[in-house]
């Protein structure tokens, strides 16, 4: 077995998506059970082994331009532009589900490259190098994915202002259900922008409420208030439905989770596909909810222990 040189994990947005685009707070949680690991082997040419390509990095498809850029930026930072190796990427994070797959892969690659050359990696350099990849993948990334996929703590986030890890004291579990459909973050964000231009009063009010719910959710996580947190998740989902960014399959899985005993449930991330999340008090309930989601069409589920 080769030694793993770099690792990172997935993320989910607990609360605050979409409103965060307009300056309201959001909370993201690390999802340790969905992970990426990267191993580096010596090689006479620069090669990559991942789902998109096995072979010379130069021949890789444009789908991994972001990873190529991040590898090149890492080598420049280390002054090792002439070195070659093979990067083997293995990931259990599905792509385009709002689970931070691209940032997690970039994080694991950057960490692996620095580890391979036995060089220390500062937090600032790691973040900057992952953002090279995220900028190519997403245009103007907020940095939330780059941070959360490398954090063991939840993050409280206000766009361009605050990215703050905080500790929680919460006995409970988050169940993540994948609809099996790609999320459509860009389109949902742009449709919401149009809706906001047409009907600013209604949209702003719904966004303000989501911002309030995020603030309250942080207090819930810090004070073990599970019933209240579930209620905030339900209310946020209601607002996201009214904002037009949920869809039938997300709503159906949210209802399945509630009927199976969840304290609360909502879509997560950009919407129009992607994932939903639910809150449970015990591990057994979390399993029951995960099973019910799978019976009702979820492609995959994950269980995350809050703590
Ligand atoms: O789908 P994700 O996890 O990348 O989350 C998108 C979150 C939005 O608030 C909808 C967009 C954004 O840029 O913050």
């Amino acid at each position: 077995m080769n030694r793993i040189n770099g690792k990172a994990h997935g993320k989910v947005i607990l609360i605050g998506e979409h409103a965060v685009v307009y300056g309201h707070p959001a909370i993201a949680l690390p999802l340790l059970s969905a992970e990426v690991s990267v191993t580096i082997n010596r090689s006479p040419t620069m090669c990559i082994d991942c789902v998109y390509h096995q072979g010379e990095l130069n021949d890789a498809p444009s789908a991994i331009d972001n990873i190529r850029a991040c590898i090149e930026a890492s080598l420049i930072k280390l002054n090792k532009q002439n070195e070659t190796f093979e990067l083997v990427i293995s990931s259990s994070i599905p792509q385009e589900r709002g689970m931070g797959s691209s940032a997690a892969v970039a994080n694991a690659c950057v960490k692996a490259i620095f580890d391979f050359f036995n060089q220390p990696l500062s937090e600032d350099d790691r973040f900057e190098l992952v953002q090279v990849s995220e900028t190519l993948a997403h245009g103007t990334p907020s940095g939330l994915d780059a941070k959360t996929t490398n954090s063991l703590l939840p993050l409280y986030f206000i766009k361009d202002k605050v990215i703050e890890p905080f500790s929680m004291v919460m006995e409970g579990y988050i169940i993540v259900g994948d609809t099996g459909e790609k999320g459509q973050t860009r389109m949902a964000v742009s449709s919401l922008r149009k809706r906001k231009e047409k009907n600013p009063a209604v949209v702003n009010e719904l966004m303000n409420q989501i911002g309030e719910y995020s603030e309250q959710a942080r207090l819930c996580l810090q004070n073990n208030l599970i019933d209240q947190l579930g209620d905030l998740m339900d209310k946020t989902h209601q607002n996201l439905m009214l904002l037009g960014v949920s869809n039938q399959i997300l709503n159906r899985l949210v209802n399945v989770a509630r009927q199976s005993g969840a304290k609360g449930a909502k879509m997560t991330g950009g919407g129009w596909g992607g994932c939903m999340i639910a809150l449970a008090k015990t591990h057994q309930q979390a399993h029951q909810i995960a099973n019910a989601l799978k019976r009702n069409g979820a492609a995959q589920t994950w269980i995350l222990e809050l703590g």
Side-chain angles (χ1 to χ4, degrees):
M1 267 277 288
N2 284 328
R3 188 172 77 88
I4 290 168
N5 299 93
K7 268 190 182 192
H9 48 258
K11 71 106 210 323
V12 286
I13 295 182
L14 175 67
I15 198 160
E17 53 274 269
H18 286 289
V20 74
V21 173
Y22 298 96
H24 297 287
I27 295 171
L29 301 174
L31 181 61
L32 302 184
S33 54
E35 74 170 9
V36 181
S37 48
V38 172
T39 307
I40 298 191
N41 303 315
R42 295 191 182 283
S43 162
T45 54
M46 198 65 176
C47 293
I48 192 158
D49 181 341
C50 65
V51 283
Y52 293 102
H53 184 70
Q54 292 90 41
E56 301 262 339
L57 186 59
N58 277 336
D59 302 334
S62 58
I64 62 164
D65 278 354
N66 57 321
I67 297 303
R68 194 203 326 262
C70 158
I71 294 169
E72 283 165 8
S74 301
L75 292 176
I76 292 171
K77 179 76 78 185
L78 288 167
N79 203 12
K80 301 273 186 197
Q81 293 93 314
N82 298 324
E83 300 281 342
T84 59
F85 47 80
E86 179 200 35
L87 270 162
V88 182
I89 302 175
S90 149
S91 174
S92 65
I93 310 176
Q95 291 118 23
E96 297 179 63
R97 299 295 199 285
M99 290 175 67
S101 165
S102 61
V105 169
N107 255 314
C109 286
V110 171
K111 286 156 86 174
I113 293 168
F114 277 69
D115 179 77
F116 182 68
F117 290 112
N118 278 318
Q119 292 298 313
L121 174 62
S122 71
E123 172 58 17
D124 285 351
D125 284 349
R126 183 197 61 73
F127 183 73
E128 178 197 312
L129 292 166
V130 173
Q131 286 294 79
V132 168
S133 161
E134 286 293 274
T135 303
L136 283 179
H138 302 300
T140 49
S142 61
L144 185 62
D145 282 13
K147 288 274 182 190
T148 320
T149 57
N150 191 52
S151 170
L152 296 177
L153 293 175
L155 290 177
Y156 172 86
F157 178 76
I158 300 175
K159 193 178 165 201
D160 299 330
K161 292 204 175 103
V162 184
I163 303 187
E164 187 183 295
F166 66 96
S167 302
M168 54 182 164
V169 187
M170 168 67 85
E171 289 162 41
Y173 296 83
I174 291 285
I175 304 95
V176 183
D178 178 3
T179 62
E181 293 176 359
K182 288 183 177 174
Q184 301 184 54
T185 301
R186 258 177 217 245
M187 272 163 69
V189 168
S190 110
S191 111
L192 188 48
R193 189 171 299 280
K194 285 183 197 131
R195 192 182 277 245
K196 189 170 171 335
E197 278 159 16
K198 262 198 202 144
N199 211 339
V202 173
V203 169
N204 287 340
E205 178 54 21
L206 291 167
M207 301 260 198
N208 288 342
Q209 286 172 355
I210 294 178
E212 274 295 310
Y213 300 155
S214 294
E215 292 292 355
Q216 291 169 26
R218 172 167 154 148
L219 294 176
C220 291
L221 289 171
Q222 290 168 325
N223 294 285
N224 201 15
L225 302 172
I226 193 164
D227 291 328
Q228 289 90 327
L229 180 60
D231 192 37
L232 293 167
M233 289 167 66
D234 286 341
K235 285 177 169 160
T236 302
H237 185 71
Q238 178 65 24
N239 281 24
L240 291 167
M241 279 199 299
L242 292 172
L243 290 169
V245 293
S246 190
N247 70 2
Q248 236 179 346
I249 177 160
L250 284 166
N251 295 343
R252 193 158 58 77
L253 292 181
V254 162
N255 286 332
V256 166
R258 287 178 187 153
Q259 282 156 13
S260 314
K263 295 277 180 193
K266 62 183 277 295
M267 58 165 267
T268 177
W272 288 359
C275 293
M276 49 72 63
I277 54 174
L279 179 67
K281 175 105 184 122
T282 66
H283 196 246
Q284 197 193 352
Q285 282 162 352
H287 269 284
Q288 276 165 9
I289 294 165
N291 287 335
L293 290 172
K294 277 189 215 143
R295 279 198 307 276
N296 284 276
Q300 246 188 111
T301 60
W302 296 262
I303 294 176
L304 179 173
E305 185 174 7
L306 301 169

